[in-house]
Amino acid sequence: MRYPLSIKQIRKNNKRVEFVGSSYGLFCFTGFYLGEDDCFDRYVIWNPSIRKSVTIDVPYQDCICEYGDARKNVVVGFGVCPKSLDHKMVRINMLGIPYEYKKLGYKHDRFVRVDVFTLSGGVWRRPLTKLTSKWFHIYIYGQTSVVVNGFIYWLSLYKNASAIISFDLTSEEFTKIRVPHKVSHYHYELFKLRESLGVVQWGGSKESYDVWLLDNVSKSFIKLYTFTLPNRWKVVGFRDNDQLIIEKGDEYSVDNGVRRYVAELVAYEPDSKQFNKLGFNAGCYSCTSYTESLLLLDQPDTL
């Protein structure tokens, strides 16, 4: 599958393209792009099944707000609203308060600014609801967001404890969800599992893992099972049959005398506790299921 020209331009210009998320058969990527006359934060929404993409450029001057450079500490989420099928991007900018603002009496170390882009509207705007002032200390991890059932989820730190922040793509409301077993030395990763939010949790040793599933009604987590992994192996996603996709990272190859790291993807069956090779020798930050769609069919082709 060939990437659209807009993504190739980012890779050629900046050498780095970040994956934002996927929803309804669409993928969203972002990267910094330096044009002839200006520089941009570029976002690309791509439907590989119909080979169409839409490019959204945010000029550098639009990234400057009253508290500093919005390109720093920015977390982006992408999803399709299930009711309107409109494409939305959410930029959460966690801004440090400059010294001159602290002299004026500001007590918080950070501000949170949120902007929402809808493809139908074509402009960035503030969401319908605002983050409350008590959330000023929130810090959202740079991990790729997870989109499930009309919600975007991010991991976050809130008052020095882990939490999950959700954004309703329909009402544009933010909600804070407690992580299971809220212990400071635990680590978490978010994934899509059974059309709900799955959480993989492990301790400092990173050998014993717990898998939790969010109940969409009670908004509480149910523990599914516990499993163990060798050192340097990691979970990167789930298959539709609930098997975990594991990056097996303990093999090396020698190429012209140079030792190179080789990552192999395997599937883990929770019931039988067996690992099965998937036939891919490639590193992977995260994996997600894919469903074909016709979204973007009515949009101008920017390939």
Side-chain angles (χ1 to χ4, degrees):
M1 180 65 68
R2 294 183 178 181
Y3 289 102
L5 178 61
S6 50
I7 295 180
K8 292 180 180 180
Q9 287 176 334
I10 298 175
R11 295 182 65 180
K12 182 179 179 180
N13 183 280
N14 191 43
K15 307 296 184 183
R16 183 179 179 182
V17 179
E18 297 181 1
F19 177 60
V20 176
S22 64
S23 178
Y24 280 74
L26 305 180
F27 294 94
C28 182
F29 298 88
T30 185
F32 183 68
Y33 179 70
L34 182 62
E36 293 183 1
D37 301 319
D38 210 343
C39 50
F40 303 87
D41 279 332
R42 169 163 288 181
Y43 299 94
V44 179
I45 303 174
W46 176 39
N47 187 338
S49 63
I50 60 173
R51 300 188 179 186
K52 273 197 172 184
S53 69
V54 173
T55 301
I56 300 138
D57 289 332
V58 182
Y60 178 78
Q61 60 266 25
D62 290 346
C63 297
I64 304 296
C65 66
E66 60 267 34
Y67 304 117
D69 188 346
R71 289 188 296 126
K72 298 178 180 178
N73 299 320
V74 170
V75 174
V76 183
F78 165 78
V80 176
C81 177
K83 290 188 176 181
S84 64
L85 293 183
D86 200 359
H87 319 66
K88 291 187 179 183
M89 283 190 296
V90 186
R91 284 168 53 101
I92 303 176
N93 193 354
M94 298 156 289
L95 302 164
I97 297 181
Y99 177 72
E100 57 268 21
Y101 285 93
K102 293 183 180 180
K103 291 193 298 183
L104 296 177
Y106 288 92
K107 297 181 180 179
H108 302 285
D109 294 329
R110 307 180 73 86
F111 272 106
V112 177
R113 168 174 170 163
V114 181
D115 295 285
V116 175
F117 179 92
T118 58
L119 195 58
S120 62
V123 295
W124 291 91
R125 57 171 175 78
R126 296 298 172 89
L128 299 179
T129 59
K130 297 180 180 180
L131 290 176
T132 61
S133 59
K134 67 179 181 179
W135 285 23
F136 281 169
H137 281 292
I138 204 172
Y139 181 82
I140 299 179
Y141 295 174
Q143 182 209 31
T144 303
S145 59
V146 176
V147 184
V148 187
N149 288 333
F151 289 85
I152 303 176
Y153 296 94
W154 298 270
L155 271 175
S156 70
L157 283 177
Y158 180 71
K159 295 184 178 179
N160 297 321
S162 295
I164 297 171
I165 300 300
S166 71
F167 176 79
D168 189 326
L169 287 162
T170 301
S171 66
E172 300 188 356
E173 293 181 336
F174 287 91
T175 305
K176 181 170 65 72
I177 303 172
R178 291 184 179 181
V179 296
H181 284 190
K182 194 174 178 181
V183 182
S184 59
H185 66 272
Y186 277 19
H187 304 275
Y188 307 87
E189 293 281 359
L190 305 183
F191 301 97
K192 182 179 179 180
L193 174 61
R194 298 183 188 176
E195 296 303 321
S196 185
L197 179 67
V199 174
V200 177
Q201 175 191 55
W202 70 92
S205 64
K206 205 174 181 180
E207 294 179 353
S208 180
Y209 293 74
D210 295 328
V211 176
W212 300 79
L213 184 69
L214 179 66
D215 183 279
N216 293 322
V217 178
S218 64
K219 296 300 180 182
S220 61
F221 284 95
I222 303 170
K223 186 176 179 180
L224 300 182
Y225 53 86
T226 299
F227 67 99
T228 58
L229 287 180
N231 189 27
R232 296 209 315 267
W233 291 28
K234 66 177 182 179
V235 180
V236 294
F238 286 86
R239 306 180 78 181
D240 291 338
N241 58 4
D242 288 1
Q243 291 183 351
L244 290 95
I245 303 175
I246 309 293
E247 182 185 275
K248 179 183 176 184
D250 61 349
E251 295 186 2
Y252 289 83
S253 66
V254 178
D255 182 14
N256 295 327
V258 179
R259 200 179 184 204
R260 301 182 185 277
Y261 177 79
V262 177
E264 180 183 12
L265 295 183
V266 298
Y268 174 75
E269 171 56 53
D271 295 331
S272 64
K273 299 182 180 180
Q274 297 294 317
F275 292 94
N276 301 308
K277 293 184 178 181
L278 294 177
F280 297 99
N281 292 324
C284 181
Y285 183 82
S286 64
C287 295
T288 182
S289 59
Y290 177 72
T291 302
E292 292 185 350
S293 76
L294 296 178
L295 294 180
L296 299 185
L297 190 62
D298 58 340
Q299 296 293 323
D301 193 353
T302 59
L303 287 175

